[in-house]
Amino acid sequence: MTSHHYQSQIKWTGNSGSGTKSYTFYERSYDIIVANKPTLKGSADSAFRGNAELHNPEDLFLASISSCHMLWYLHLCSTHQITVLAYKDKATATMKETAEGKGHFTEAILNPEVEIIEQDKIELAQSLHEKANEFCFIANSCNFPIHHKPTTIIQN
């Protein structure tokens, strides 16, 4: 078994002058820093007093699921001689919050729209989403269902 290691740094940038002295005194803003990559500005979801203009952990989590799936899907299409010309996904997810304020994701739905060249491989192209889900590192780390509602179209 091969191990891969990742490192990131989080730096809180929301101290408005008095730290966390009061729940309403501080911003939920932060930087995500990964060596040799652009810094990503983040905040809490606006529902949790965050800045709606910045990425929040929930958005990034869903984007991780969607992008990991896409990368595995593209790999599988390549190895099955399916030429993908375009790929986009409007993914959605549901997070439930308890009365105590705890939360957890209950599902994610990927809606990939894929454009391919080979008319005779539409069925195979559709089926590879299931295979991509089996291999996706992020999906394999989740404890909730990830559903797929793919659409495959042929280049005109």
Side-chain angles (χ1 to χ4, degrees), residues 1 6 30 35 37 42-44 48 55 63 67 76-78 84 88 93 98-100 106 109 115 124 142 150:
M1 178 181 287
Y6 302 90
Y30 56 88
K37 297 180 183 179
S43 184
F48 306 108
H55 297 289
S67 59
L76 292 169
C77 283
S78 176
V84 175
K88 62 183 174 182
T98 67
E100 301 88 33
T106 58
I109 303 171
E115 183 180 347
L124 176 58
C142 295

Side-chain angles (χ1 to χ4, degrees), residues 27-84:
E27 294 178 25
R28 276 65 177 169
S29 302
Y30 56 88
D31 288 344
I32 300 171
I33 304 158
V34 178
N36 303 312
K37 297 180 183 179
T39 297
L40 188 61
K41 301 284 185 189
S43 184
D45 186 333
S46 60
F48 306 108
R49 304 187 57 83
N51 182 340
E53 295 178 6
L54 300 178
H55 297 289
N56 63 58
E58 297 81 9
D59 291 336
L60 296 171
F61 183 56
L62 180 58
S64 293
I65 296 168
S66 178
S67 59
C68 186
H69 178 86
M70 178 195 68
L71 293 168
W72 270 107
Y73 181 79
L74 295 173
H75 167 76
L76 292 169
C77 283
S78 176
T79 62
H80 285 85
Q81 287 76 51
I82 297 173
T83 308
V84 175

Side-chain angles (χ1 to χ4, degrees), residues 2 24 26 55 74 129:
T2 303
T24 59
Y26 66 94
H55 297 289
L74 295 173
H129 287 284

Side-chain angles (χ1 to χ4, degrees), residues 92-138:
T92 62
T94 302
M95 186 184 79
K96 300 278 181 155
E97 185 181 358
T98 67
E100 301 88 33
K102 297 177 183 178
H104 64 277
F105 280 83
T106 58
E107 74 172 350
I109 303 171
L110 306 184
N111 299 286
E113 184 177 301
V114 183
E115 183 180 347
I116 66 171
I117 293 176
E118 298 82 7
Q119 172 78 39
D120 62 328
K121 292 190 177 182
I122 282 187
E123 195 172 305
L124 176 58
Q126 288 281 106
S127 73
L128 289 178
H129 287 284
E130 187 175 321
K131 194 66 150 174
N133 189 63
E134 291 175 25
F135 281 88
C136 174
F137 307 140
I138 307 300

Side-chain angles (χ1 to χ4, degrees), residues 12 14-27:
W12 177 47
N15 184 348
S16 299
S18 57
T20 59
K21 189 170 192 136
S22 168
Y23 183 71
T24 59
F25 284 9
Y26 66 94
E27 294 178 25

